[in-house]
């Protein structure tokens, strides 16, 4: 399969709660990125974490990377209804112009 | 941030016709661009890697004669869906990586996507 795996596939939470999404991949990477996509729209880049980094923060976002387990997590704290979207991890692989492969995505629904 | 412009944003065509989608990097040069395809409620599937001045590299299962890619300049790549059929209806998204000073970041910049509907 071209894609890495993400879980959960769908997540429904109340506004104010935290949302955690996980991503696993198969081969060595240069970096891992998280993107957000609202229905039928393009992608919005959220955060990039390099293979030699373990954790990164950006506002309410926290990303971790465990290269030994080939996995990453995205935590959104104090979620808002406006966070409702699909979230994808994408891994840039060594060689081939850093070909970037997307995970299956998590559909997040935040209830007001 | 860097801007990638994709055109058209949506297109409806008759079965059997060909459709061209353009992807432009507006404020940076991109020796490499990527074309993705996305079906409703699914993830993005990489179709091909577009290389400026050379042939595109297609992913397994993607017909290169069906999806023609041309990357004639450092700021423009085109995807032509030839002899389109209803099953080609999809959301096509391009992305580009800055070949200049920001290349080391690895960040991809995405176009807004093109929604193709084949009748």
């Amino acid at each position: 399969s071209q894609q890495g795996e993400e879980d959960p596939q769908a997540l429904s939470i109340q506004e104010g709660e935290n949302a955690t999404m996980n991503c696993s991949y198969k081969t060595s990477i240069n970096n891992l990125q998280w993107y957000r996509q609202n229905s039928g729209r393009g992608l919005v880049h959220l955060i990039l974490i390099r293979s030699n980094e373990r954790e990164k923060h950006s506002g309410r976002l926290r990303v971790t990377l465990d290269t030994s387990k080939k996995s990453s997590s995205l935590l959104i704290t104090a979620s808002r209804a406006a966070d409702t979207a699909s979230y994808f991890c994408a891994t840039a692989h060594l060689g081939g112009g850093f070909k970037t492969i997307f995970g299956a995505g998590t559909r997040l629904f935040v209830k007001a | 941030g860097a801007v990638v412009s994709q055109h058209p944003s949506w297109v409806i065509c008759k079965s059997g016709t060909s459709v061209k989608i353009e992807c432009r990097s507006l404020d940076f040069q991109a020796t490499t661009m990527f074309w993705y395809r996305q079906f409703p409620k699914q993830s993005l599937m990489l179709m091909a890697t577009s290389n400026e001045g050379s042939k595109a590299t297609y992913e397994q299962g993607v017909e290169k004669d069906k999806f023609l890619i041309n990357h004639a300049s450092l700021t423009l790549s085109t995807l032509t869906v030839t002899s389109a059929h209803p099953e080609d209806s999809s959301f096509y998204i391009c992305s580009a990586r800055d070949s200049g000073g920001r290349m080391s970041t690895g960040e991809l910049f995405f176009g807004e996507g093109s929604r193709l509907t084949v009748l």
Side-chain angles (χ1 to χ4, degrees):
Chain A
S1 169
Q2 186 182 99
Q3 298 175 339
E5 296 186 2
E6 284 184 62
D7 72 271
Q9 290 186 342
L11 180 60
S12 181
I13 58 174
Q14 290 292 141
E15 208 168 27
E17 294 180 340
N18 295 341
T20 299
M21 290 160 265
N22 303 295
C23 166
S24 62
Y25 56 93
K26 298 176 182 176
T27 60
S28 297
I29 62 172
N30 174 271
N31 64 67
L32 184 146
Q33 301 164 60
W34 284 90
Y35 291 87
R36 166 198 168 119
Q37 184 182 37
N38 287 83
S39 181
R41 302 295 300 277
L43 292 165
V44 175
H45 179 262
L46 296 177
I47 198 164
L48 179 152
I49 186 166
R50 299 184 193 285
S51 60
N52 61 353
E53 297 176 311
R54 292 297 167 259
E55 188 171 313
K56 209 161 182 180
H57 298 254
S58 177
R60 293 185 295 114
L61 306 179
R62 174 178 169 256
V63 168
T64 63
L65 178 64
D66 187 334
T67 52
S68 66
K69 296 181 180 179
K70 291 186 169 60
S71 67
S72 173
S73 68
L74 170 67
L75 168 68
I76 303 175
T77 60
S79 64
R80 305 166 183 168
D83 295 329
T84 295
S86 292
Y87 291 82
F88 297 96
C89 70
T91 48
H93 295 263
L94 302 175
F98 295 105
K99 182 167 71 174
T100 298
I101 304 298
F102 281 77
T106 295
R107 293 168 64 86
L108 173 66
F109 181 64
V110 182
K111 293 177 281 188
Chain B
V3 177
V4 174
S5 173
Q6 199 170 330
H7 177 81
S9 54
W10 59 270
V11 57
I12 301 173
C13 70
K14 293 182 179 180
S15 187
T17 60
S18 295
V19 175
K20 180 185 285 188
I21 301 170
E22 294 185 348
C23 179
R24 294 181 185 274
S25 57
L26 296 187
D27 54 357
F28 65 97
Q29 294 184 331
T31 55
T32 302
M33 292 184 176
F34 302 95
W35 286 96
Y36 295 85
R37 179 176 184 176
Q38 185 180 35
F39 291 108
K41 298 184 179 180
Q42 294 188 24
S43 185
L44 283 75
M45 294 294 293
L46 179 64
M47 299 175 66
T49 302
S50 172
N51 304 298
E52 187 268 335
S54 65
K55 292 182 180 180
T57 304
Y58 290 82
E59 294 300 303
Q60 190 173 10
V62 178
E63 300 175 59
K64 58 183 179 182
D65 295 330
K66 173 75 172 175
F67 300 100
L68 299 179
I69 290 172
N70 185 283
H71 194 156
S73 78
L74 287 171
T75 59
L76 173 64
S77 175
T78 61
L79 169 69
T80 301
V81 183
T82 62
S83 187
H85 292 282
E87 57 265 30
D88 298 324
S89 298
S90 188
F91 193 51
Y92 293 87
I93 305 177
C94 73
S95 68
R97 177 168 288 115
D98 192 335
S99 303
R102 283 176 290 188
M103 184 178 183
S104 63
T105 69
E107 181 181 346
L108 280 183
F109 302 101
F110 282 84
E112 277 294 306
S114 299
R115 186 165 301 284
L116 170 64
T117 301
V118 184
L119 301 177

